[in-house]
Amino acid sequence: MSIMCDKDMLQRTNMKTIKSEELQVLNMRNDTLLSGCCINLFTLSDPVQELLESFAQIRLLTELCIERPEQSFLDEYLYQRAGSGLEAKLQTLALRSDIETLHTVIRATRQKVDQLECFLEESVLLTTSGDEHEKKKTMQEKHIDVVKSRQKALNNAVDEIDLDELIANVRLEEEDAARVTEN
């Protein structure tokens, strides 16, 4: 009995090996036929590729046409398309992350630029040019000269005024005002 099982097993293995070798030969034949006609499955237009992908998915889901090895290239095509889709998704995620990082850097840079522009505007307002500084200095010197001349005139006027006579006049006016209010 065990010899019979081994024979069946050996026969099945041989059949599978023969089928896989036949499939490989057919795949190579299909590839040469397609390349001889200048047809590349991966350079087809988008609608054709979508139809081909739909067909491959239907075939995969329904497991139809398994007995037709000439269509084995569809499996390869389906897997390559799925792999390309996954690679695109991974690349999209990486690019989104890079874009978000760049947005953060741009925001930080804009904030620093705004601060520097504000600083420049304020420092321009606070600084004066050399000509303006000279004008202010000249005006202040003139103002000091005017104040000094007024102070001299005031000192001369104080020297000329007799304080005792001024006090006496004020008292006389107060007495006159008091008399007028009494009457």
Side-chain angles (χ1 to χ4, degrees), residues 9-145:
M9 189 71 121
L10 184 62
Q11 200 173 24
R12 286 184 194 159
T13 307
N14 286 340
M15 292 285 283
K16 286 183 181 179
T17 306
I18 291 171
K19 281 187 177 183
S20 68
E21 288 174 0
E22 286 175 3
L23 286 175
Q24 288 175 351
V25 169
L26 286 172
N27 267 341
M28 290 189 335
R29 188 176 135 248
N30 284 339
D31 289 341
T32 23
L33 288 173
L34 287 173
S35 64
C37 297
C38 299
I39 296 174
N40 185 351
L41 292 178
F42 301 105
T43 59
L44 298 174
S45 66
D46 287 340
V48 172
Q49 281 190 359
E50 288 174 10
L51 288 173
L52 188 59
E53 187 173 337
S54 297
F55 175 73
Q57 286 184 359
I58 290 170
R59 183 176 170 267
L60 180 69
L61 295 174
T62 60
E63 297 181 8
L64 295 176
C65 302
I66 291 179
E67 296 300 319
R68 295 179 62 191
E70 66 273 4
Q71 291 184 354
S72 64
F73 67 90
L74 289 175
D75 292 333
E76 181 182 343
Y77 172 76
L78 182 64
Y79 294 135
Q80 285 180 353
R81 287 290 285 195
S84 298
L86 289 175
E87 285 178 17
K89 285 180 183 178
L90 286 174
Q91 190 175 19
T92 302
L93 289 174
L95 290 175
R96 281 186 185 154
S97 174
D98 291 346
I99 288 171
E100 191 59 38
T101 303
L102 289 174
H103 281 301
T104 304
V105 169
I106 288 171
R107 277 188 237 113
T109 305
R110 280 188 183 152
Q111 185 179 13
K112 287 179 183 178
V113 166
D114 290 343
Q115 288 175 348
L116 289 173
E117 286 176 348
C118 182
F119 172 76
L120 283 175
E121 288 174 2
E122 289 179 8
S123 50
V124 164
L125 292 175
L126 294 176
T127 58
T128 56
S129 66
D131 292 340
E132 290 178 10
H133 183 68
E134 287 297 321
K135 286 179 185 177
K136 285 182 180 179
K137 182 180 175 186
T138 306
M139 293 292 287
Q140 287 176 350
E141 287 175 351
K142 286 181 182 178
H143 185 67
I144 289 171
D145 290 341

